[in-house]
Amino acid sequence: MQVLFRFFVLCAFVLAGCSPTFDNHGYIPAVEDVAALRVGVDDKTTVAEAIGRPTSTGVLNEDGWYYIRTTVRNFTYNEPEVVERELLAISFDRNDRVRNIETLTLADGRIVDLNRRVTELPVRGPTFWQQLIGSLGNITADQLIQ
């Protein structure tokens, strides 16, 4: 009886170890709070009071506020996979009034292929001593005197 119990406990641990885990990162305000914002009326101060300040802003200036929430699935030894992403973008005009409110999801994104250019080793070329000796023939007596 005890062997059977240990077997079931071991099976439960194995199955629990194979179940995926989900990590949530970031913050998106509630839909009702975002719906209460009015384009052309609200400004940065009222937006910050209603839904809070963002974790990201525009790169060159603060004309855009970005709220981002991501869900990542981790499963055994596989690479983590982003299964859900939501982005709320609020842009402002020159007077800091809300110009546009836009919500984007993972389906709206684009995959960007990175080109990894790696120098292969070993790199062959003249050594320090070869460069030094090679440059001696290029110096004239006039250059040494000056």
Side-chain angles (χ1 to χ4, degrees), residues 3-23:
V3 173
L4 189 60
F5 176 74
R6 288 181 182 172
F7 175 73
F8 283 124
V9 170
L10 179 65
C11 287
F13 279 122
V14 168
L15 290 176
C18 292
S19 63
T21 59
F22 294 91
D23 295 327

Side-chain angles (χ1 to χ4, degrees), residues 71-84:
T71 302
V72 179
R73 177 178 174 244
N74 297 297
F75 184 68
T76 61
Y77 297 106
N78 297 327
E79 186 174 330
E81 175 187 4
V82 176
V83 293
E84 186 179 354

Side-chain angles (χ1 to χ4, degrees), residues 42-108:
D42 285 312
D43 60 3
K44 288 183 180 181
T45 305
T46 58
V47 171
E49 290 172 358
I51 62 175
R53 294 196 58 84
T55 55
S56 300
T57 60
V59 175
L60 299 177
N61 49 31
E62 289 194 17
D63 287 348
W65 284 9
Y66 306 102
Y67 300 85
I68 305 166
R69 184 180 55 80
T70 304
T71 302
V72 179
R73 177 178 174 244
N74 297 297
F75 184 68
T76 61
Y77 297 106
N78 297 327
E79 186 174 330
E81 175 187 4
V82 176
V83 293
E84 186 179 354
R85 179 176 293 134
E86 189 176 357
L87 176 123
L88 172 67
I90 301 175
S91 57
F92 298 94
D93 61 12
R94 280 186 248 142
N95 299 324
D96 288 342
R97 300 255 180 236
V98 175
R99 182 176 68 212
N100 189 23
I101 300 172
E102 189 174 16
T103 302
L104 303 168
T105 64
L106 190 60
D108 298 319

